[in-house]
Amino acid sequence: GAAARAWAWLLARVAMVWSTVAGSARKVWRIGADDPRKAVHGLKVGLSLALVSVFYYTRPLYDGVGGAAMWAIMTVVVVFEYTVGGSVYKSFNRAVATASAGVLALGVHWVAGKTGELEPYILTGSLFLLAAAATFSRFIPTVKARFDYGVTIFILTYSLVAVSGYRVDQLAALAQQRVSTIAIGIFMCLAVSVFICPVWAGQELHLLTTRNMDKLADALEACVDDYFAEDPAARPAQAKSDGYKCVLNSKASEDAQANLARWEPAHGRFAFRHPYTQYGKVGAAMRACAYCVEALSSCAGAEVQAPEHVKRLLHDACARVGARCARVLREASRSVATMKSYSALDFAVADMNTAVHELQGDMRSLPSMLAVKLADTSLMDTMPVFTVASLLVEISARVEAVVDSVDALAT
Amino acid sequence: GAAARAWAWLLARVAMVWSTVAGSARKVWRIGADDPRKAVHGLKVGLSLALVSVFYYTRPLYDGVGGAAMWAIMTVVVVFEYTVGGSVYKSFNRAVATASAGVLALGVHWVAGKTGELEPYILTGSLFLLAAAATFSRFIPTVKARFDYGVTIFILTYSLVAVSGYRVDQLAALAQQRVSTIAIGIFMCLAVSVFICPVWAGQELHLLTTRNMDKLADALEACVDDYFAEDPAARPAQAKSDGYKCVLNSKASEDAQANLARWEPAHGRFAFRHPYTQYGKVGAAMRACAYCVEALSSCAGAEVQAPEHVKRLLHDACARVGARCARVLREASRSVATMKSYSALDFAVADMNTAVHELQGDMRSLPSMLAVKLADTSLMDTMPVFTVASLLVEISARVEAVVDSVDALAT
């Protein structure tokens, strides 16, 4: 009856909610399983906060830094970032901005104190002007890239000190306390982030570049195979030929990581002033290459296709160019990965150029080949294949540009 | 003598420093002059801080909110963003995260208080677990896009309350005070950002899309003209044909603005739940088009070029397709800008398809035209022009995809 229906409805509801929850849980689990360092990062943040709070419970130390221990916790929460570069960037910005804004505010406070009645006007006016100027400075690209967080902290510290009702000597004691707690927070944060499973932005950028280069090589080969595959079932997996899309969309993360990497100390094979900006140029060269691969992959899906027997005429030459371009990219990726220049890379480039010359020769001799072998085929039918071949020639030129940028990185 | 040389050196130094400073100042001035709203934004932040600090100086009000006025200032500094959407996003996250973390921490504090000796262990342990879980949750894409700031504030509030040495009843009073000061800060911030020269993220996204579409149209026309220009001096300005590069690199800012725009209340012609995600699809369609325009522009700079008299055969048909594609893009941009669907857009698409059919006809009849007119030219010489023509056909298909996504936006 009605009770049974209601019960069934309830069961269905519960099952639905359960499957939604289980689905999300599986997704979240995948994020952690794919990159356990993300889960470790969570534990690291928990650990540093627990350390700071233990510090806070220990009486003798507590008496030393006073009630301002709050600032140590705040510092850890806002400064701790996924990469070491991010943590250093925020720590440096926080320390320098707090110190400079504090000193400036104390000075203005002292001057304003001498003027007597005008004090609130001077303080509020200077707050208005400084906040406006500092906020506007965030639109300057260099400031935005390197000191964005520092500007926020500068405004914050200046406002807190400027509007506080304390006398200057009280403020100086407060400032000294504040500086020591922030230093404790920063120290804890950097120690945990550098010594426990560190994630270096420089290394991430490095890995991203080599991984993208390998993906681009795979995608290039897959697209050529895809175009010439006679049997649709024999086509390579879509996932492989879609690899170039990662390259197309990686500009933002490359820029962000290059920005953070510049703050990192020397680590592993990365010196303090490793030429991180050069990775951006390699990335730009790879993207230029990926644009062409995109055009190539759209040829494989185009409506108007050359007949199979015409495709077969250029199949070998095109496949060779595709394979050699991919080999050059893989060698370049190995050169970036190991930070060495190999003669194998030069050989691969020479091989690629030979293959391109052969392809161009085949393209030139196409009309005579057609006249001999396939008299019934119009030359116009060969046009789509010709487009693919000329895209491959353009791609090889862009692959060479990638190699040039990689060489600049290696030296 | 030596004094004169030193003087000259000093003068040169001063002149150098002066020119550097003047150069930077000019750049900064340009940023403000190009978009005065950026300078206005600085003044708005200054104004809200000044208002909050005035509030703080007024005694009767001051007694009401107590020494916690610091939190009002902090809220204004960290919550005020360039766009209204950004400010609402941060305000909402700050308010909800502070309230939920505060309630949770009070509950845990109360439970821990009952256990007596175990209190510090329970508090530190819960802090560790919550901070780790919350930090990890930032890697979930939805949380990252919508609640990133909220997670920071959640951890911060929970730690501050959990490790504080206060009793629960003291904490409740503190919490009530804290909530009222944060509410004042948020109110001030939103009032200034909505009522004084508001910058809406939705509108920015809208403008970015239409501007990019116009740039793409200009670039497409310029690239075709560039390819067929017989006289290098007659080539269009580089700036115009480079417009497609803006389209290629706009994904990050589109995503960011679409994320912020969803927080905005209804304004002007934008309803509360305006389909902002659709702009992302229009942007993706435009980028697909821009990849092909990039390939086209590289044809103009290629080494191997068809002879001028061969180019001339397809010049008219290609220029017509280019111009009609550009017209379709401009009509689509007008349709997005005015949020209406025009029949002119459908006519433009039909015209474009006619032009494409004519071009395909010209491409097919090329061999016979050559046989009649230019018997001394090999068909192979026409191949580069053919590549350009087939790229134009592909571009017209992608322009139609842009129109489809625009139609989905208009309805």
Side-chain angles (χ1 to χ4, degrees), chain A residues 107-124:
Chain A
V108 173
H109 221 291
W110 183 79
V111 169
K114 298 272 166 200
T115 60
E117 285 229 325
L118 286 174
E119 185 172 356
Y121 302 102
I122 290 182
L123 287 179
T124 309

Side-chain angles (χ1 to χ4, degrees), chain A residues 150-168:
Chain A
V151 172
T152 308
I153 296 298
F154 183 89
I155 304 178
L156 187 61
T157 308
Y158 187 85
S159 347
L160 290 185
V161 177
V163 302
S164 76
Y166 294 111
R167 291 194 321 275
V168 172

Side-chain angles (χ1 to χ4, degrees), chain B residues 106 166-178:
Chain B
L106 280 179
Y166 293 111
R167 292 194 321 277
V168 171
D169 53 339
Q170 284 176 315
L171 272 178
L174 201 73
Q176 191 250 318
Q177 212 181 42
R178 182 77 52 85

Side-chain angles (χ1 to χ4, degrees), chain A residues 158-222:
Chain A
Y158 187 85
S159 347
L160 290 185
V161 177
V163 302
S164 76
Y166 294 111
R167 291 194 321 275
V168 172
D169 53 340
Q170 282 176 316
L171 272 177
L174 201 73
Q176 189 252 317
Q177 212 180 42
R178 182 77 51 84
V179 165
S180 66
T181 42
I182 287 183
I184 290 169
I186 287 179
F187 173 78
M188 204 74 95
C189 189
L190 289 185
V192 170
S193 110
V194 170
F195 293 115
I196 303 181
C197 306
V199 177
W200 301 97
Q203 204 157 19
E204 294 294 289
L205 177 62
H206 189 83
L207 280 177
L208 180 71
T209 305
T210 55
R211 220 160 30 210
N212 274 348
M213 219 176 268
D214 288 334
K215 272 186 195 161
L216 190 60
D218 289 346
L220 175 55
E221 266 187 337

Side-chain angles (χ1 to χ4, degrees), chain A residues 42 46-47 53 56-57 70 73-74 123 128 132 160 163 291 294 298 363 367 379-380 383 386-387 390 398, chain B residues 42 46-47 53 56-57 70 73-74 123 128 132 156 160 163 291 294 298 363 367 379-380 383 386-387 390 398:
Chain A
L47 177 67
S53 82
Y56 184 82
Y57 275 114
M70 181 186 108
I73 288 177
M74 244 180 173
L123 287 179
F128 174 80
L160 290 185
V163 302
Y291 298 148
E294 206 266 356
S298 78
M363 282 155 76
L379 190 53
M380 286 318 291
M383 290 291 189
F386 187 89
T387 303
S390 36
R398 295 187 181 194
Chain B
L47 177 67
S53 81
Y56 184 82
Y57 275 112
M70 181 186 107
I73 287 176
M74 242 177 173
L123 288 179
F128 174 79
L156 187 61
L160 290 185
V163 302
Y291 297 148
E294 206 266 356
S298 77
M363 282 154 75
L379 191 52
M380 286 317 293
M383 290 290 189
F386 187 89
T387 303
S390 36
R398 295 187 180 194

Side-chain angles (χ1 to χ4, degrees), chain A residues 327-338:
Chain A
R327 188 151 70 88
V328 170
L329 284 174
R330 287 201 190 96
E331 285 293 338
S333 147
R334 193 161 68 102
S335 161
V336 172
T338 57

